[in-house]
Amino acid sequence: SLVAVLSYALRIAWKLLVLLGKVTLAGTRLVAAVVRDDGNQRRARRWFLLEGNRWTLVAAMVATIFVGSLTLGLTNVIGVRESSFVTTMFSTIIAGLFSFIPLVIAVNQLTVSRLFGTPDHLRDRVDSVHEFRRRIESMSADVDVSPTDPAAFLVVIARAMRDRATALRTVAEEADDEAVREDLEAYAAGVSEQADRVTENLRGSDPGVFGVLLPVMNENYSRRFTAARRLRVRAGPLPETADELLEDLQSVFVSIDVTRQYFKIIYLQQELARLSRLLAYSGTTAFLTSTLVVMIYASGYPPAVSETALLVVVALSLAVAFSPLAILFAFVIRVATVVKRTSAPGAFTPKGERPTHAR
């Protein structure tokens, strides 16, 4: 009968709803567990601040503005038929875009400030770089002339670090004191792992300056330097060769820290120059787009087109007008993160975000 069929259909529908509810609850719990996981949070934070493609972040922000504006318009939360509202909004955007002019000038000043100097000062800077390269070459027995490629140069320093750590592990076996031997072996193992990590991240690739800087950004070389000093002072009598190797490792740590700081300066110059150019391009485009929208509504009433088409134009124009701010946000947070995580070269390093492998 019809009643029996309806009853059966209702029971099936209820079971499907219960099953759907269970699946939804399980999915929600799974997503919550993934989001709460410390490892996932660190990877997401690292991608957002450093590793993620900046254009992906910019596109996501601009797309969010476009979709959000379009959704609000389709649901009649905002209306594009109100000429005064649209013209006021884009006029305010135009006024705000003028603030990007001094911003671009300031970024350019930061970029070129290090390029000025007298010929003698510039010569001293070049000579200091050559002297530093010769110092690195003296640490590497198999390198007569160090490479000019940043990645290959960093690999040379990492190889010198690993070679000395390997030698230290061999020499540690000669120590009479078991505690000293264990301390030296543990220290050498940690240094070898650190050097291998840097080499592995740079092997078989041709990264830019940021790609070279990224593997060494969170490495705490000052802590390794201090640990070597502590071993030399507190570990008791060391084999003479072990003491020399620890001293060499201290020099290597100073050299790689200096290299990291130098590469950071190069990266900041390149990134700020790129940012100023992108702000100039996007700011001009946003200004022209916003001006065009104001001109479209200049008559005091909206054009005689469908409201949906008009909404798409306004939402798209709003997204374009937002693009300079999205570009500024995406690039500045990475620059600020790089500066923070490499802010204190030498023997003192403030507490900050630790690398994933150190947690």
Side-chain angles (χ1 to χ4, degrees), residues 60-199:
M61 296 173 66
V62 172
T64 300
I65 294 297
F66 173 73
V67 173
S69 302
L70 192 63
T71 302
L72 292 176
L74 291 174
T75 54
N76 294 322
V77 176
I78 60 174
V80 295
R81 289 289 179 182
E82 294 292 335
S83 299
S84 59
F85 166 74
V86 176
T87 54
T88 300
M89 179 175 63
F90 280 94
S91 297
T92 305
I93 291 175
I94 291 173
L97 287 173
F98 279 104
S99 63
F100 276 85
I101 297 176
L103 180 61
V104 172
I105 294 175
V107 171
N108 275 317
Q109 287 177 337
L110 289 173
T111 304
V112 303
S113 61
R114 288 184 51 84
L115 304 179
F116 295 118
T118 63
D120 289 339
H121 177 65
L122 295 176
R123 179 60 183 265
D124 290 340
R125 288 170 57 184
V126 174
D127 289 343
S128 66
V129 174
H130 289 325
E131 179 62 28
F132 179 73
R133 287 167 58 87
R134 284 191 290 269
R135 193 178 304 121
I136 297 302
E137 292 162 1
S138 66
M139 296 179 180
S140 305
D142 57 342
V143 176
D144 296 325
V145 179
S146 58
T148 57
D149 178 68
F153 185 79
L154 195 59
V155 168
V156 169
I157 303 179
R159 191 184 304 130
M161 185 194 309
R162 186 183 62 246
D163 291 344
R164 281 159 177 78
T166 302
L168 181 63
R169 185 179 298 179
T170 302
V171 172
E173 299 175 358
E174 303 175 3
D176 298 329
D177 192 327
E178 182 178 355
V180 172
R181 183 169 59 253
E182 292 178 354
D183 290 342
L184 289 176
E185 289 178 349
Y187 181 78
V191 173
S192 296
E193 180 184 353
Q194 192 173 33
D196 291 339
R197 188 163 52 242
V198 174
T199 304

Side-chain angles (χ1 to χ4, degrees), residues 226-237:
T226 304
R229 286 188 60 198
R230 188 174 293 113
L231 283 172
R232 297 179 66 190
V233 173
R234 297 183 179 179

